[in-house]
Amino acid sequence: YLGWRSFFSPAALAELFSRDGSIDPFAEHVAHLEQAPRSVTDPYFYLDLKTYLPEDLLMLADKMTMANSLELRVPYCDHRLVEYMARVSPERRLPGFRLKAILKDLMAQTLPGEILNHPKRGFSLPLATWFKGPLRDLPLELLSEAQVRRRGYFSPGTVRQLVERHLTGVRSYFDQIFALIVFELWHQAYLDGWATRQSALLREVD
């Protein structure tokens, strides 16, 4: 489950980090699994409530709607419904790993079949194509071997191999490349900026 929730498998993470064993990106997730209340029939349901839902899906939906002056409502997050579903067994909620099974069963007499059985579609972007085309310079610049080495978090050779394999079409690594680019941009915007401000303050004190 933890590997599925990440762009990098545990084996890939071991190759990615430059300091073996010094970082455990899943420590918080494992802690949530261990702390899941006994009333919750599925600890992974509890883990999603603590991490994936508020830190990803709801956060992104809130930011995108607020950026466009829309008021978003999430009725399926009503606490009474969530508490009830937490007591439903995973076999009943996901029979045969069929998504939204209970909801579809409830709406079977109301909605037409083409809606109930329509394939799930996310809100993905054509990043795989963009990184080979109009955004090709982005990974080459932000994830250059010199830049990765300067940061010191990741193995320069591993990152270089990911970028090269994607750009040459050996295999698609756009998710992994996107994650690394976002980390680098976040580092520049917050940590680098903080260090610059701290240096300026120290110079003023001197």
Side-chain angles (χ1 to χ4, degrees):
Y1 174 87
L2 296 177
W4 175 70
R5 286 293 312 120
S6 172
F7 290 147
F8 296 91
S9 68
L13 284 175
E15 293 182 7
L16 177 65
F17 287 116
S18 58
R19 296 181 293 275
D20 295 338
S22 60
I23 300 175
D24 182 4
F26 296 126
E28 182 181 353
H29 291 69
V30 173
H32 283 308
L33 286 175
E34 294 173 346
Q35 296 164 8
R38 292 185 178 181
S39 59
V40 178
T41 59
D42 180 4
Y44 295 98
F45 181 92
Y46 180 80
L47 177 60
D48 270 351
L49 289 178
K50 289 293 186 178
T51 58
Y52 185 45
L53 195 63
E55 296 173 1
D56 192 318
L57 299 181
L58 293 178
M59 179 272 294
L60 293 175
D62 182 62
K63 286 190 174 184
M64 293 302 100
T65 52
M66 293 290 282
N68 291 279
S69 301
L70 295 175
E71 286 291 340
L72 178 67
R73 294 293 180 265
V74 283
Y76 293 135
C77 287
D78 182 277
H79 71 93
R80 291 162 296 187
L81 179 60
V82 172
E83 290 166 0
Y84 174 79
M85 292 306 300
R87 297 191 295 271
V88 176
S89 69
E91 292 78 14
R92 179 66 185 94
R93 283 190 293 105
L94 293 169
F97 288 97
R98 185 164 63 99
L99 300 177
K100 299 182 175 68
I102 295 177
L103 183 61
K104 289 182 177 180
D105 291 344
L106 288 172
M107 301 302 295
Q109 303 301 317
T110 304
L111 295 176
E114 59 265 26
I115 293 179
L116 284 173
N117 302 314
H118 195 280
K120 182 178 176 64
R121 290 190 298 178
F123 303 99
S124 58
L125 297 172
L127 290 173
T129 302
W130 287 355
F131 285 150
K132 294 180 181 179
L135 298 182
R136 182 184 179 90
D137 291 341
L138 203 60
L140 291 175
E141 177 184 343
L142 296 176
L143 304 180
S144 68
E145 187 164 353
Q147 181 67 359
V148 173
R149 192 179 304 280
R150 187 172 73 86
R151 289 290 182 216
Y153 301 113
F154 309 121
S155 165
T158 300
V159 176
R160 183 187 68 250
Q161 193 174 60
L162 285 175
V163 174
E164 288 179 350
R165 286 184 174 181
H166 182 82
L167 295 181
T168 57
V170 173
R171 182 178 171 183
S172 180
Y173 287 103
F174 73 92
D175 277 334
Q176 292 84 351
I177 292 172
F178 179 69
L180 293 170
I181 285 176
V182 169
F183 177 82
E184 172 60 25
L185 292 175
W186 169 83
H187 204 295
Q188 291 181 13
Y190 293 95
L191 298 191
D192 292 354
W194 177 85
T196 300
R197 290 192 298 273
Q198 289 295 102
S199 297
L201 287 173
L202 288 174
R203 285 196 298 270
E204 289 179 8
V205 171
D206 291 342

